[in-house]
Amino acid sequence: MITLRKLELMQDRVCARKLSIIYHDAALALRRGDEVSLGYLRSLSPLFHSEKLLPLFSGKRERIDDLLRKVDVQGGVELAFTLGDLSTEILAVLGAEPSDWDFTEEDGKLDASRRIVEDHILVLDRLRSPFNVGSVFRSADSFGIRKIILVEGTADPRHPRSLRTSRGTVDTVPYEVLAEGNVVDLLRAMPCFALELGGTDMRSFPFPRQGACVIGSEEMGVSPALLACCDQSLGRASIALYGTKGSLNVSVATGILLYHWCSA
């Protein structure tokens, strides 16, 4: 628990960010039914009227004061939602967006040590959209992927649009960019399969405990060389569809696949 004195010594935006984390964590604790120090939370309220933070929150003064008044009188689940609102308002002032249920370190970055990692490798074969690459990283973080291999020609995970959708997970899931020939050598040395149309319904697919899955590009699918490796190993896993479209967005399809693989 950070002391009030230590918070007072921080720079304005650092202090505000820290307050957002404190309120967010307390909100989650209350939702779980854990005990929190109401006295400590209420002791933080004067900080918003201090010489340091008062200018920062001038445009949100009425809203912040209303939430702080609720903190002084509420408890339980009701207080949890108020604290969540307060955390979000602080982030809005800082120009940041909240990520619900994120595990963060002291500096606000995602805490990679919280991940449960499987011996699963994901190969992205020339995915062109930075948005999709970032979204795949986010799903990979959630479903235990140990490493992502990007075949040359795949969008850069550090592209601004990829970073926007990955929400910090390009720093929690290790990745490497390799030429297709090197990826072929890698796949020949382990069980592998492809996410492709016309394969085995993934509800009955024999997912390996360790190995690699190849995800093809939005337009071209998996390349012949990589698909040959998968066909010689475990084959192809497919998603049964019941609508008018013949395929799903690649990042959505990957999320479905990773859930099944992680649960197998």
Side-chain angles (χ1 to χ4, degrees):
M1 186 179 295
I2 304 173
T3 65
L4 187 61
R5 178 57 179 164
K6 188 172 182 180
L7 287 167
E8 290 172 339
L9 294 174
M10 294 177 179
Q11 294 181 349
D12 55 356
R13 296 181 66 85
V14 176
C15 178
R17 170 68 187 176
K18 190 63 64 176
L19 287 170
S20 173
I21 294 172
I22 292 171
Y23 290 133
H24 178 263
D25 289 348
L28 297 186
L30 286 168
R31 286 288 284 159
R32 292 191 302 265
D34 298 341
E35 290 188 12
V36 300
S37 174
L38 298 182
Y40 173 70
L41 293 174
R42 291 163 182 166
S43 73
L44 303 177
S45 296
L47 283 172
F48 290 91
H49 296 91
S50 65
E51 183 178 344
K52 174 166 51 181
L53 293 188
L54 194 60
L56 191 62
F57 292 98
S58 60
K60 288 267 188 180
R61 176 53 47 205
E62 185 175 346
R63 173 64 170 159
I64 293 292
D65 285 348
D66 179 58
L67 291 171
L68 292 175
R69 282 192 291 269
K70 292 179 179 179
V71 170
D72 288 338
V73 299
Q74 291 177 338
V77 176
E78 189 179 32
L79 176 58
F81 279 89
T82 296
L83 293 173
D85 288 343
L86 190 51
S87 175
T88 299
E89 293 294 342
I90 295 172
L91 290 178
V93 168
L94 297 177
E97 296 180 23
S99 294
D100 291 342
W101 316 111
D102 284 353
F103 294 108
T104 57
E105 297 176 330
E106 287 296 315
D107 58 3
K109 293 182 179 179
L110 295 177
D111 183 359
S113 68
R114 297 274 193 154
R115 296 188 67 223
I116 298 175
V117 180
E118 305 284 353
D119 197 7
H120 298 168
I121 294 175
L122 198 59
V123 177
L124 304 187
D125 182 17
R126 301 172 177 86
L127 270 65
R128 307 301 192 190
S129 165
F131 283 116
N132 284 337
V133 170
S135 183
V136 167
F137 264 84
R138 186 168 179 174
S139 295
D141 174 273
S142 296
F143 293 117
I145 292 299
R146 177 167 62 85
K147 185 177 184 179
I148 293 179
I149 302 295
L150 300 103
V151 179
E152 285 183 341
T154 298
D156 185 357
R158 296 286 173 182
H159 188 285
R161 290 198 292 271
S162 180
L163 292 174
R164 192 179 309 159
T165 53
S166 72
R167 300 302 295 267
T169 54
V170 295
D171 294 319
T172 62
V173 182
Y175 66 90
E176 183 179 8
V177 180
L178 294 177
E180 183 180 69
N182 296 121
V183 179
V184 167
D185 293 338
L186 179 73
L187 294 180
R188 285 173 176 167
M190 66 177 69
C192 62
F193 63 98
L195 174 61
E196 266 288 4
L197 298 173
T200 303
D201 189 322
M202 65 177 56
R203 290 172 293 187
S204 57
F205 188 82
F207 288 104
R209 285 192 169 274
Q210 59 181 35
C213 174
V214 183
I215 308 294
S217 71
E218 297 88 341
E219 294 181 340
M220 304 296 291
V222 179
S223 74
L226 300 183
L227 194 57
C229 292
C230 296
D231 285 342
Q232 292 166 13
S233 183
L234 296 172
R236 312 177 190 190
S238 299
I239 301 170
L241 300 175
Y242 301 92
T244 59
K245 299 296 290 182
S247 64
L248 291 169
N249 171 273
V250 65
S251 66
V252 173
T254 301
I256 294 171
L257 171 100
L258 293 183
Y259 171 77
H260 281 275
W261 194 6
C262 182
S263 304

